[in-house]
Amino acid sequence: MKSPVNVAITGAAGQIGYALAFRIASGQMLGADQPVNLHLLEITPALGALQGVLMELNDCAFPTLNKIVATDDAKIAFKDCHAALLVGARPRGPGMERKDLLLANAQIFSVQGKALDEVADRNVRVLVVGNPANTNSLIAQRNAPNLNPRNFTAMVRLDHNRALAQLAEKTAVHSTRIRKTTIWGNHSSTQYPDLHHTLVDGKPALSLVEQSWYADTFIPVVQQRGAAIIKARGQSSAASAASAAIDHVRDWVNGTPEGDWVSMGVPSDGSYGIPEGVIYGYPVTCKNGDYQIVQGLDLNEFSRQRLDATHKELLEERDGVKDLI
Ligand code: NAD
Ligand code: LMR
């Protein structure tokens, strides 16, 4: 039997946390042969609700769940953790942009970055889900100078999965037969869902759909999907967000399939003309527990403008929290 992996989830009694904890505990993220210790973090007023989550987790008698720690102390939650899913943060309501949450949530990621720096496993993999995810991830990274900066990532996988779903519906081909789709940039309405390299059953996606559908329907639908869910449900996406978080960490740890890539928000390294200093959605492949940004993709003028526009927004967000980084 493998030794248990410590997985921290913040905001574990919230909507996403509630969906996430059970799937991780049942082995859907790290595998059916990998025991996990769940470290659940909440704010003090939510500890009662968190106790209920803990009771339900125990009641599932999952073979892969080894131990649960439930706490309101980040240093206990992050102690020796190998993976940290930073979900706990305020969600937006109708009419808000995700960057409107910046000041409300930024402090959380500064405190948690410091706690990770102090007590987490030195190779901890961090996924920030709480919005605005890219900039929150940057804040956590900058407050954890002793950890590997590459290991601070942000979730654009939900956007990636949404793009697959839209294209699958349009082309009447199952999403498993779609390859090489990218979400560039910010998890926000400036993100750029790029189909220029996408293959549907081996054929270029843009040869199967009209350019007007791509530019005027597909891109805005993916960019605005979070707002559409809030309008329909009265609350922001939760089960699909948890599912995307599982996909992100699973692929990072276990690798991406040959001939495909996924989208992850990772520290920019100059690739595709995006200078270091932001957490940016890129196409990545994963192998041996690490990720690499896919290199050498052609970008036409249509794409270039969109990559730069979403980068500009990330710089504005970064300026808004300069005291914390
Ligand atoms: P929620 O309000 O249901 O749950 C958030 C939980 O976090 C609450 O239980 C709250 O008590 C807890 N929390 C707040 N501050 C905390 C702290 N300092 N430490 C630990 N826990 C804390 O919200 P939700 O629907 O679960 O969404 C959580 C976040 O995820 C929001 O910011 C939302 O916008 C974001 N989100 C991101 C994506 C993405 O694709 N990146 C998708 C969906 C939602
Ligand atoms: C989403 O994309 O569903 C989340 O980021 C929630 C939101 O505010 O849109």
Side-chain angles (χ1 to χ4, degrees):
M1 194 65 167
K2 293 178 173 174
S3 49
V5 165
N6 300 327
V7 179
I9 306 175
T10 73
Q15 287 202 90
I16 298 174
Y18 187 69
L20 198 50
F22 293 84
R23 293 193 55 189
I24 296 175
S26 65
Q28 292 182 49
M29 185 169 83
L30 296 175
D33 61 343
Q34 177 59 66
V36 291
N37 296 326
L38 280 187
H39 294 193
L40 308 179
L41 181 68
E42 260 297 348
I43 51 173
T44 313
L47 282 180
L50 187 62
Q51 201 52 35
V53 176
L54 182 148
M55 288 158 72
E56 282 201 76
L57 281 163
N58 280 328
D59 291 350
C60 292
F62 289 126
T64 39
L65 181 55
N66 187 59
K67 191 176 82 178
I68 309 174
V69 174
T71 177
D72 58 359
D73 182 341
K75 287 195 195 143
I76 295 175
F78 294 149
K79 178 87 182 122
D80 297 328
C81 70
H82 303 102
L85 286 80
L86 308 188
V87 178
R90 242 182 80 185
R92 67 171 164 160
M96 290 168 79
E97 284 296 327
R98 296 181 187 103
K99 66 181 167 206
D100 297 336
L101 295 170
L102 196 51
L103 290 180
N105 290 336
Q107 197 66 41
I108 296 174
F109 294 88
S110 150
V111 171
Q112 292 183 355
K114 291 186 174 77
L116 283 163
D117 199 46
E118 225 176 287
V119 300
D121 182 86
R122 295 302 85 184
N123 197 33
V124 61
R125 291 183 179 84
V126 181
L127 167 62
V128 175
V129 174
N131 277 318
N134 300 53
T135 300
N136 288 337
S137 183
L138 183 72
I139 296 170
Q141 182 211 52
R142 293 291 178 87
N143 281 277
N146 298 302
L147 296 176
N148 184 350
R150 276 176 59 78
N151 281 6
F152 284 78
T153 68
M155 192 161 94
V156 294
R157 184 61 177 266
L158 179 54
D159 311 289
H160 180 98
N161 290 346
R162 286 167 171 166
L164 296 184
Q166 291 300 317
L167 185 60
E169 192 182 335
K170 174 74 176 172
T171 56
V173 168
H174 195 269
S175 57
T176 49
R177 283 149 58 190
I178 302 177
R179 305 256 178 280
K180 300 188 175 177
T181 296
T182 307
I183 304 297
W184 299 95
N186 201 3
H187 172 63
S188 78
S189 52
T190 66
Q191 68 178 268
Y192 172 43
D194 183 3
L195 295 184
H196 284 89
H197 308 95
T198 302
L199 300 173
V200 179
D201 256 347
K203 298 186 203 79
L206 291 182
S207 69
L208 301 175
V209 300
E210 316 82 65
Q211 175 67 22
S212 59
W213 177 81
Y214 173 51
D216 304 333
T217 301
F218 172 82
I219 293 177
V221 164
V222 176
Q223 288 173 329
Q224 299 294 340
R225 188 67 163 185
I229 305 268
I230 292 170
K231 190 157 174 244
R233 255 171 50 85
Q235 284 186 303
S236 66
S237 64
S240 57
S243 199
I246 301 250
D247 290 347
H248 177 115
V249 177
R250 183 202 58 221
D251 289 349
W252 188 357
V253 173
N254 292 334
T256 43
E258 211 44 53
D260 199 5
W261 64 61
V262 295
S263 306
M264 282 171 66
V266 302
S268 57
D269 63 353
S271 295
Y272 299 100
I274 305 300
E276 284 182 30
V278 292
I279 306 285
Y280 193 88
Y282 277 111
V284 302
T285 54
C286 305
K287 204 174 172 180
N288 302 327
D290 197 7
Y291 65 82
Q292 298 297 333
I293 297 172
V294 175
Q295 297 296 329
L297 300 176
D298 286 334
L299 296 177
N300 62 17
E301 192 45 37
F302 181 94
S303 296
R304 184 73 256 166
Q305 280 176 10
R306 284 162 178 76
L307 261 78
D308 291 342
T310 189
H311 179 230
K312 183 165 171 274
E313 184 186 44
L314 283 168
L315 293 179
E316 286 161 11
E317 287 187 15
R318 192 181 70 182
D319 272 357
V321 293
K322 54 177 179 300
D323 297 347
L324 290 173
I325 52 178

